Amino acid sequence: MNRWIKSITGGLLMANIVIAAPDGGSAWISQLSEKQLTAEGLNVKMLPGKGALLHLEMEQKKNLFPTVMIHAPEGSWDLSNFDQVSASFKNTGEAAFEVEFWAVGAVGWDAPVSSLFLEPGEQGECVINLQQRWKGGLVNKVDTRSIEYLRVSLKKPPKGCRLEMGPVFRREGDSTLKKPVGYHRLQLPAMVDGVPAAGLRVKDQLPQYKGTALYHTLYLPTDWEPGKRYPIIIEYSGNRWLSGPCHSTGRPEGSRMGFGMSEGKGYIWVNAPFVNPKNNTLALNGWGNVDATIEYAIELVNHLCENYGGDHSAVILTGFSRGAVAVGFIGRNHDRIADVWLAFHPCQHYDGDGYGGAAYESALNERGPRIKGRATFHTDNGHHEKLRAMFKQLDVPVIFGESGIGAHTDTMFLENRPSVLRLRKWLAEVVSGKPGTFSVSGRVTDANGSGLSNVRIQSGETHFTYTDADGHYRLSGLIPGCRSVYAAKDGISETRKLDLKKKNISQLNFVLNNQ
């Protein structure tokens, strides 16, 4: 009897996959259960007894990287006593295409891959070397003690392609992770469902998106306590890109830069989504809707400051690949969103390199001036002469750090590389000194001159504080320019306008009269 497994894309017919057990042999994986399979853009059909493990057939709508994942039945496989994983593939269709075979480990690690280009009728073998490492890698790409799934993906395949996959084999050999003397690597926490708590990374949603597919990840540092304030790192991920050697899901939980920057302590770390507003889903490639993505970011910062002790004056924006471009293209798209940030950290791409409409001219002449003297740290972007010229023309502070990883990945932030240590030092100095920003302070009183406590003082979308018991306040992290500052309590408010000209302003006092 044939049984169909529903695609996670809601039944969109992208390909048919037939599962069958081979006759005998010494294969490691020769048959599968339904629970072990997850398809993205695929329907899966189990058909035992036909000799092949998988058969893929593209139909209808094109997909950049159609894929099926074979999950370990007990959470993960320990392959530290094996140095290769292999499987044969045969092109049974009429068009040539490339297949890629991955071994994917625990969160925080990269995935070794083997690629194979097949002409029609051609058969070949993908052999994953479990000891693969990046050109500038200090250790293997993956800790083989915990391989969570194998992935088969097709790279931008033509319509109508068909593929058969044979059983999976593994070769004995030592792939144990060997660390150089003095090597240290952070253990990235996996995203879980649950209530936010210190040291936990959870799947979180803004209240208005409860019950939808739109979410962000939220990590509260190990030293988090209610009632205290913590700087915030907002991070954007790269695109969904399954093209060797880059294994990126495009999802918020795939990001890791902010954890490496903070070492998991002292900072709230959040991976923000790119938003598809029509159906409230994640945009795994591209920006989704730019305006919706921006509004989500603003609401997210307020959510963190109101509910988890986020410090509005110390919000750092970072991102990798697509996310690196987003640091400027999204983060400085207009004055409202540009006002939110204290500093910027793009990695491996930059606003102005042309991706997704991020033209050099608009980056230089429109979004660049919105930096307004705040700090920027670029990782692995120093070889771009046009970028260096941009910052020279803008005349704003910038540091270029080179990781030496020699690959398109953000794994290096979990290590103690010199560039990462320099980045962490920069981050601490930026949060402490808040370069390029200024403060407004004063007192709020009633008509009789008595100080009013718990008055909300706000300027811009996300910068707010409350007066103390005597009515005093200090609002920090404000960029220069014409601003409105308002004081409000119990339905009574007063607004003051000022021109913040690169210096702190004191004695900006308010009188709230309830008469």
Side-chain angles (χ1 to χ4, degrees), residues 329-486:
F329 189 74
I330 298 294
R332 298 191 295 269
N333 194 274
H334 52 57
D335 289 342
R336 287 176 54 241
I337 184 66
D339 185 60
V340 172
W341 321 109
L342 172 61
F344 309 94
H345 173 226
C347 172
Q348 296 187 10
H349 281 293
Y350 63 95
D351 181 24
D353 70 3
Y355 173 78
Y360 185 86
E361 291 74 16
S362 57
L364 172 63
N365 299 316
E366 299 172 20
R367 296 182 296 277
R370 296 189 182 114
I371 296 174
K372 291 192 174 182
R374 287 169 290 183
T376 300
F377 191 110
H378 274 277
T379 293
D380 291 348
N381 283 329
H383 60 288
H384 297 290
E385 293 302 324
K386 289 184 68 175
L387 176 62
R388 287 182 175 271
M390 180 192 299
F391 272 83
K392 184 176 181 179
Q393 187 169 338
L394 291 170
D395 192 25
V396 291
V398 62
I399 294 175
F400 291 96
E402 300 302 318
S403 72
I405 191 70
H408 195 46
T409 179
D410 60 353
T411 188
M412 59 281 194
F413 294 103
L414 301 179
E415 301 174 328
N416 279 355
R417 290 172 177 258
S419 63
V420 176
L421 297 179
R422 187 182 184 193
L423 172 63
R424 291 171 186 164
K425 183 176 183 291
W426 169 86
L427 179 63
E429 291 172 349
V430 163
V431 169
S432 174
K434 296 180 174 53
T437 69
F438 303 90
S439 66
V440 172
S441 60
R443 190 170 185 240
V444 183
T445 62
D446 61 17
N448 298 318
S450 299
L452 295 176
S453 64
N454 204 36
V455 178
R456 185 181 178 101
I457 310 294
Q458 183 156 345
S459 181
E461 298 282 349
T462 60
H463 296 285
F464 69 88
T465 188
Y466 291 88
T467 57
D468 63 17
D470 294 321
H472 295 284
Y473 75 90
R474 181 182 177 86
L475 191 61
S476 303
L478 305 179
I479 59 176
C482 295
R483 308 189 65 95
S484 293
V485 181
Y486 76 84

Side-chain angles (χ1 to χ4, degrees), residues 202-326:
V202 301
K203 181 179 181 179
D204 192 39
Q205 292 181 297
L206 295 176
Q208 61 268 43
Y209 295 110
K210 294 291 186 183
T212 74
L214 194 58
Y215 65 91
H216 55 269
T217 68
L218 168 61
Y219 175 84
L220 299 181
T222 53
D223 54 351
W224 183 84
E225 296 179 21
K228 293 186 176 181
R229 289 286 174 189
Y230 299 85
I232 302 168
I233 298 174
I234 301 288
E235 179 175 354
Y236 281 116
S237 70
N239 282 310
R240 179 180 184 265
W241 201 256
L242 304 174
S243 177
C246 181
H247 183 274
S248 172
T249 65
R251 296 180 174 275
E253 62 268 30
S255 301
R256 47 197 170 185
M257 289 173 60
F259 189 79
M261 292 166 65
S262 67
E263 300 181 271
K265 56 190 177 184
Y267 295 78
I268 296 172
W269 168 47
V270 176
N271 305 110
F274 297 97
V275 179
N276 286 321
K278 289 185 178 179
N279 50 8
N280 288 331
T281 58
L282 302 172
L284 302 185
N285 291 86
W287 309 128
N289 179 280
V290 170
D291 291 337
T293 297
I294 289 171
E295 292 306 315
Y296 192 105
I298 292 172
E299 293 168 6
L300 177 57
V301 171
N302 278 320
H303 173 69
L304 298 171
C305 293
E306 294 277 12
N307 298 289
Y308 299 106
D311 181 354
H312 67 87
S313 71
V315 186
I316 313 299
L317 183 59
T318 190
F320 168 73
S321 192
R322 166 184 61 165
V325 183

Side-chain angles (χ1 to χ4, degrees), residues 122-142:
E122 189 176 9
Q123 181 170 337
E125 186 179 29
C126 280
V127 181
I128 303 173
N129 175 11
L130 295 176
Q131 300 181 71
Q132 274 183 26
R133 62 174 58 187
W134 296 115
K135 180 180 179 181
L138 304 176
V139 295
N140 296 347
K141 287 184 181 180
V142 68

Side-chain angles (χ1 to χ4, degrees), residues 60-78:
Q60 297 183 11
K61 189 175 179 181
K62 189 176 181 179
N63 187 300
L64 279 179
F65 305 105
T67 182
V68 62
M69 292 171 282
I70 303 171
H71 299 272
E74 302 297 333
S76 65
W77 292 294
D78 182 351

Side-chain angles (χ1 to χ4, degrees), residues 11-25:
L12 177 64
L13 185 59
M14 295 295 296
N16 298 322
I17 304 175
V18 182
I19 313 299
D23 298 324

